[in-house]
Amino acid sequence: MTIFCSHCHRPLPAESGCLPRGTGQVPSASKPFRSTKGASKARRDQINAELQALRSLLPMSCREKERLSYLNTMALVCLRLRAARLFATDSAPPAGPALGTDLLSMLPGFLLVLLANGKLAYVSENVSEVLGLSTAELLSHGDTVFDMLEGTAREVVQEKLLLAQEQPGAEVTFVSKMRTSKAFRLRHGGNRAVAVRGRFVAPRAPACAAAPAAFMALCTPVAQPAQGADTASPDDLFHSRHGLDMAFADVTESVVYHLGYRREELIGRSWYSLLHPEDVQLAAAQHRAVASGTGASPAGAVVLRLLRSDRTWLWLHTALRREHGGSSISCTSRSLR
């Protein structure tokens, strides 16, 4: 049998070859070292160019675009992509509800659209009038509704969203404090309480059939008592005294202007019988904190709704205090109209 050399393809005996003895492969020149510095720079330049192209598509003024970081740019792009999926149409879709500036200025608050996991899909431009922050500034804290809230409000909002998700179409309302600009906090002494009223809505357009249900809400600022509230007009508040079970023991006559009940109608009646069902859990937590506390200092304040005699709901900012001796609880309730 003839054996051919694998190098020169000449017939050779099996025990020999044309390669130098002691080597099993053709000697080759060592590969030169290639630096990846140029390739890395090219990739960075390409990414920067893509981000600048995306930034140019955002419906913002050139001045606002110049202030955007790359992270803010990506957050805004993702926000508009989520909105485009929800509000898609057969024609070129706007990334959000088609609302004009004049219409937004007539609303008592700003519009908010969320996905089921809390991701923001749309925030109307007039959010800056309520919170003092633009959409881009809000997204710098995160892209979920929970990033807009004070830390203690996260669990309450999660519970409300789960409740709304279990009952599609059912409206839920809750009050939560949202982050505001530094200028707003310096002026008002803290973040702003906002009443969120909305429901989960399934997309109606055929093009949106594959889109998930979205939580659409109107966020209305709740009037907050000014600093030094004790010197405010007595017409804005009423005082009540309760037993430890929160049954009315006494109440000022001014309650009739706020709730429509005469003083005699409320004596002996439970405070809980007037509470909105969605506010019972929050009020009960505040009640327990006061009842189990010691001293006469307020245990805190809570924003809730009480039922008026005409079957409407009144928002109140209520501060609870356990009286000396511990046998009763006093409340100072301020109307948030």
Side-chain angles (χ1 to χ4, degrees):
M1 181 178 67
T2 304
I3 299 176
F4 293 88
C5 177
S6 61
H7 178 63
C8 63
H9 304 291
R10 294 178 181 177
L12 294 172
E15 68 274 10
S16 64
C18 65
L19 294 178
R21 293 187 180 275
T23 63
Q25 59 183 1
V26 179
S28 60
S30 60
K31 294 182 179 180
F33 173 76
R34 296 181 61 185
S35 173
T36 60
K37 183 176 180 181
S40 298
K41 183 179 183 304
R43 284 195 297 271
R44 287 197 303 270
D45 291 342
Q46 183 179 4
I47 292 173
N48 292 341
E50 293 291 344
L51 287 172
Q52 290 172 3
L54 289 173
R55 182 188 295 173
S56 66
L57 298 175
L58 294 173
M60 305 169 65
S61 66
C62 294
R63 185 176 180 181
E64 290 175 316
K65 291 177 184 178
E66 291 174 357
R67 295 201 301 263
L68 291 178
S69 67
Y70 285 156
L71 289 177
N72 282 343
T73 299
M74 288 303 302
L76 285 170
V77 169
C78 291
L79 179 76
R80 294 188 65 81
L81 287 175
R82 287 192 288 268
R85 186 184 178 195
L86 290 174
F87 305 109
T89 60
D90 294 333
S91 59
L99 297 175
T101 305
D102 293 339
L103 178 58
L104 287 175
S105 64
M106 297 171 61
L107 294 176
F110 64 92
L111 297 178
L112 187 67
V113 181
L114 312 173
L115 301 183
N117 59 2
K119 287 278 188 180
L120 297 173
Y122 175 76
V123 183
S124 60
E125 297 175 3
N126 61 334
V127 65
S128 58
E129 300 174 9
V130 178
L131 303 180
L133 295 171
S134 66
T135 304
E137 290 170 330
L138 277 177
L139 291 175
S140 66
H141 298 290
D143 63 350
T144 70
V145 67
F146 309 115
D147 298 311
M148 297 174 59
L149 308 173
E150 283 190 348
T152 56
R154 183 185 180 102
E155 293 182 0
V156 175
V157 174
Q158 278 183 324
E159 182 179 345
K160 296 295 184 181
L161 290 178
L162 286 175
L163 177 64
Q165 203 170 355
E166 292 171 357
Q167 303 174 357
E171 185 175 271
V172 297
T173 304
F174 56 90
V175 174
S176 181
K177 283 198 172 183
M178 293 190 175
R179 296 178 184 271
T180 55
S181 64
K182 183 178 180 180
F184 184 96
R185 294 193 299 272
L186 290 174
R187 182 178 179 182
H188 298 280
N191 291 322
R192 189 161 203 177
V194 177
V196 181
R197 182 179 182 181
R199 68 186 70 188
F200 271 96
V201 179
R204 298 180 180 179
C208 305
F215 182 78
M216 299 187 179
L218 175 64
C219 303
T220 308
V222 175
Q224 293 176 271
Q227 295 180 353
D230 293 339
T231 61
S233 171
D235 295 336
D236 296 333
L237 54 85
F238 63 91
H239 300 278
S240 57
R241 185 167 54 84
H242 307 258
L244 293 181
D245 60 353
M246 290 304 290
F248 281 93
D250 195 10
V251 63
T252 55
E253 296 286 353
S254 59
V255 69
V256 69
Y257 300 109
H258 300 280
L259 299 180
Y261 302 104
R262 296 191 304 274
R263 176 177 174 274
E264 295 76 14
E265 295 179 87
L266 293 177
I267 301 300
R269 185 171 179 177
S270 174
W271 182 62
Y272 284 97
S273 67
L274 301 178
L275 282 173
H276 192 284
E278 295 178 0
D279 299 332
V280 170
Q281 184 177 357
L282 181 63
Q286 192 68 37
H287 176 201
R288 286 193 297 269
V290 175
S292 61
T294 57
S297 60
V302 62
V303 177
L304 44 75
R305 288 160 288 183
L306 289 186
L307 183 65
R308 294 168 50 91
S309 61
D310 60 1
R311 315 308 294 176
T312 59
W313 299 100
L314 176 66
W315 285 102
L316 293 171
H317 180 278
T318 302
L320 294 84
R321 179 194 303 267
R322 187 166 182 175
E323 295 290 350
H324 290 290
S327 60
S328 62
I329 296 174
S330 65
C331 296
T332 300
S333 300
R334 185 177 303 276
S335 175
L336 300 178
R337 289 179 290 188

